[in-house]
Amino acid sequence: MKEKVQRARVLVVGDAMLDRYWFGAVERISPEAPVPVVRVNREEERLGGAANVALNVKSVGAGATLLTVVGDDEPAGRLRRLLAEHGVRSLLGSDAKLNTIVKLRIIGRSQQLMRLDFESQPDHEVLALMLSDYERVLPEHDAVLFSDYGKGGLTHIPRMIELARQAGKPVLIDPKGNDYARYAGASVITPNREELAQVIGAWSSEAQLHERAQALRRAQGFAAILLTRSGEGISLFDDAGHVQVPAVAREVFDVTGAGDTVIAVLAVLLACGVDLRTALPVVNRAGGIVVGKFGAAHVSFGELYP
């Protein structure tokens, strides 16, 4: 299996971000307001968003290419360096009208005290000039993964899905928003409970969830819906019906980026020719491992196949 993974290539398209962490000591409450004073003693930067998804693909042992658009600013330069350091191939368009997305987390006493987001909503189609790059590199990859964070980077996703399906590539989507029609024809989408409820409404029973999920799947032409359910594990809805894998029992430290790991590992396995139902236990194990780590973490091949 390891050799298959090493040969696999996944193209990741979506909204890339730079995750910054400020760690510090909390020893008193501010006299100015009822908030803790954090004396910062360490800073750390990590790949976030679609860049973290690509890193997860690479960490498992497969090849990853990230296609996205960033700003012409300092965080964009840092993203480029981090991607290069981690061996992730990148096709980064540069748009001076954009601010590269930065999420700054302030950590004290091993807890996240605050998150500050720096971003700008684009007023134009930021990936419009990247379609030719997408078409050029598509044949080199075994699967295409769209990481949609709702930041405006995937305006052209229907056309990109169409091109990928014409090329016979599995298409995986981490969705956002309540319009799943734009993802029509995807091989598999991977919403969490809250994201799926935005589309099909809150369900009052398992039977109602199954009925609504299957109706959505058929209406949009998805081969499958993989629903991540936190403590309840994951559920797969496909033509054969429904199968659920219970959560891996372990202490949850941080759920940040867990969805990135799940879809990245699934993309690698599909790129290797593994079918969805066979991949399910491995994907579930990956999610269980990563929530036991701090921040937007990742897993290795050795952790998945000990």
Side-chain angles (χ1 to χ4, degrees):
M1 186 63 188
K2 190 170 186 178
E3 291 182 356
K4 286 186 178 181
V5 168
Q6 290 173 339
R7 291 195 300 267
R9 298 290 180 267
V10 178
L11 175 59
V12 180
V13 184
D15 302 306
M17 308 173 192
L18 179 64
D19 284 347
R20 283 182 164 147
Y21 296 86
W22 290 359
F23 298 88
V26 180
E27 299 169 345
R28 62 193 179 97
I29 300 298
S30 171
E32 304 167 352
V35 295
V37 175
V38 182
R39 181 165 47 83
V40 177
N41 51 38
R42 181 165 64 92
E43 299 179 22
E44 188 175 321
E45 292 179 328
R46 299 183 185 182
L47 298 171
N52 181 56
V53 176
L55 176 59
N56 270 273
V57 170
K58 183 68 176 178
S59 298
V60 174
T65 301
L66 173 66
L67 188 147
T68 190
V69 176
V70 295
D72 183 15
D73 49 21
E74 180 270 334
R78 187 59 187 140
L79 262 179
R80 294 177 193 274
R81 290 192 293 272
L82 283 172
L83 287 164
E85 288 171 11
H86 288 292
V88 176
R89 178 189 178 192
S90 59
L91 297 170
L92 303 189
S94 181
D95 190 328
K97 296 181 180 178
L98 280 183
N99 292 327
T100 302
I101 301 169
V102 176
K103 292 185 177 181
L104 169 61
R105 296 172 175 90
I106 301 174
I107 314 296
R109 295 177 180 171
S110 299
Q111 293 183 327
Q112 184 178 147
L113 303 178
M114 180 178 292
R115 192 183 87 183
L116 305 177
D117 290 2
F118 303 85
E119 61 184 83
S120 59
Q121 193 68 24
D123 58 1
H124 57 292
E125 299 179 356
V126 295
L127 271 177
L129 298 179
M130 301 295 287
L131 270 172
S132 58
D133 293 289
Y134 175 84
E135 293 187 67
R136 176 172 54 83
V137 301
L138 181 61
E140 306 169 14
H141 297 82
D142 304 298
V144 182
L145 191 167
F146 294 97
S147 182
D148 192 352
Y149 277 81
K151 305 301 183 183
L154 288 176
T155 303
H156 281 79
I157 193 169
R159 177 59 178 156
M160 290 180 170
I161 293 172
E162 180 185 11
L163 290 169
R165 295 315 303 267
Q166 287 175 356
K169 314 292 183 181
V171 174
L172 302 91
I173 297 177
D174 188 359
K176 280 291 180 292
N178 56 14
D179 178 19
Y180 281 16
R182 61 201 299 265
Y183 307 132
S187 306
V188 57
I189 62 169
T190 63
N192 60 32
R193 288 181 299 185
E194 292 73 20
E195 289 166 344
L196 186 60
Q198 288 183 38
V199 181
I200 66 173
W203 50 89
S204 57
S205 66
E206 281 294 304
Q208 188 178 63
L209 165 62
H210 296 183
E211 179 183 355
R212 292 181 180 180
Q214 291 287 25
L216 172 66
R217 188 183 66 81
R218 288 189 293 266
Q220 302 303 341
F222 304 141
I225 296 175
L226 189 148
L227 172 64
T228 55
R229 308 178 67 173
S230 300
E232 297 175 8
I234 56 179
S235 288
L236 180 72
F237 302 92
D238 60 11
D239 279 337
H242 165 260
V243 61
Q244 185 168 350
V245 180
V248 178
R250 67 177 297 151
E251 182 179 358
V252 175
F253 184 73
D254 192 343
V255 299
T256 303
D260 293 347
T261 299
V262 165
I263 195 170
V265 171
L266 181 59
V268 171
L269 294 176
L270 294 186
C272 292
V274 178
D275 67 84
L276 275 168
R277 293 203 168 202
T278 302
L280 211 55
V282 182
V283 169
N284 191 52
R285 184 157 63 248
I289 292 169
V290 80
V291 296
K293 301 180 179 182
F294 177 76
H298 50 271
V299 297
S300 66
F301 181 88
E303 289 175 298
L304 293 179
Y305 293 94

